[in-house]
Amino acid sequence: MEMSEKIKFLRMKNKLTLEEVGNKVGVGKSTVRKWESGQIANMRRDKIAKLAEALNTTPAYLMGWEESSAPAIPGIEHPTFHAVPLLGEIACGEPILAEENLEGKVQVDGGVACDFALRCKGDSMAPRLLDGDLVFIRQQPSVDNGQIAAVLIDTEATLKHVYVSPSSIQLVAENPAYAPIVLTGEDAENARILGKAVAYRRMI
């Protein structure tokens, strides 16, 4: 992951604005924006140290140095992350066309075993999942009844609690205002579970 991506990810993870980061480091918010966009790639060492402190990380992590080159701080574990593809949006209401085009990559905690991320749209899974949330999916062809999964119906995808019986597949919303989607016969045969929802991220 590039330094610019790390800066933006950690700023949002710590719920900081561009201005707040700039104030902590001693620069304007436009400079922070340029760091995040990659327009400024070379930073003074003192700024790197202040930025790392502001983002609750280490200079070694930001710069991509070997962590062993930075002194360990007893009692503090530094997070590890990995990137997964962001595959458009997934419906959290009426199913919408699954946009399989790669929008980019997003960072997820190294302890989360997942293969890709999707962005929620709608409120059928509220209050658990809200419009705009990133949901991380582990690819698998089946889930236990009641678990939340991304399900592909022909060329449309939706995120729901899944209940499978010998004669039907029920896709149940978290929001009681939405009626279950019941698939039978050919519709059930054409439905495909893309994977299980294992984590989510909410931007504020």
Side-chain angles (χ1 to χ4, degrees):
M1 179 170 51
E2 298 294 328
M3 182 178 68
S4 57
E5 295 173 307
K6 293 177 183 177
I7 295 171
K8 184 173 183 177
F9 174 75
L10 288 172
R11 176 177 65 80
M12 299 185 77
K13 182 176 185 292
N14 285 281
K15 300 176 183 177
L16 296 168
T17 65
L18 293 167
E19 187 172 9
E20 287 171 336
V21 173
N23 289 340
K24 289 175 180 286
V25 180
V27 299
K29 67 179 182 180
S30 61
T31 298
V32 180
R33 185 180 291 111
K34 289 178 181 179
W35 288 342
E36 292 187 354
S37 66
Q39 290 179 269
I40 299 178
N42 297 318
M43 298 170 58
R44 286 169 27 194
R45 185 172 291 270
D46 64 319
K47 296 300 183 188
I48 294 171
K50 289 182 179 179
L51 180 61
E53 182 179 0
L55 298 176
N56 294 316
T57 188
T58 64
Y61 174 74
L62 281 182
M63 300 302 293
W65 303 327
E66 292 294 330
E67 283 293 338
S68 58
S69 67
I73 303 175
I76 297 180
E77 293 185 5
H78 298 294
T80 59
F81 304 95
H82 64 101
V84 296
L86 175 61
L87 300 180
E89 296 181 330
I90 189 167
C92 281
E94 294 298 320
I96 60 172
L97 183 66
E99 297 290 343
E100 291 294 339
N101 295 324
L102 178 66
E103 287 191 357
K105 290 192 175 184
V106 292
Q107 297 297 313
V108 61
D109 188 281
V112 177
C114 64
D115 298 292
F116 59 91
L118 295 161
R119 194 183 307 279
C120 290
K121 186 175 182 180
D123 65 351
S124 77
M125 293 302 288
R128 185 192 298 261
L129 299 171
L130 303 180
D131 186 77
D133 285 354
L134 290 180
V135 180
F136 298 95
I137 307 295
R138 182 173 64 232
Q139 286 183 283
Q140 56 187 70
S142 63
V143 295
D144 294 336
N145 279 348
Q147 291 183 328
I148 298 174
V151 181
L152 191 67
I153 308 171
D154 292 327
T155 59
E156 296 181 292
T158 189
L159 188 73
K160 296 288 188 293
H161 293 280
V162 176
Y163 296 87
V164 179
S165 71
S167 60
S168 68
I169 298 175
Q170 286 196 58
L171 306 178
V172 180
E174 188 95 4
N175 187 338
Y178 289 80
I181 299 172
V182 181
L183 305 173
T184 60
E186 187 175 338
D187 289 336
E189 291 177 3
N190 290 336
R192 180 167 64 92
I193 293 174
L194 299 176
K196 177 184 174 182
V198 295
Y200 73 94
R201 181 189 306 154
R202 180 162 299 154
M203 299 300 185
I204 299 177

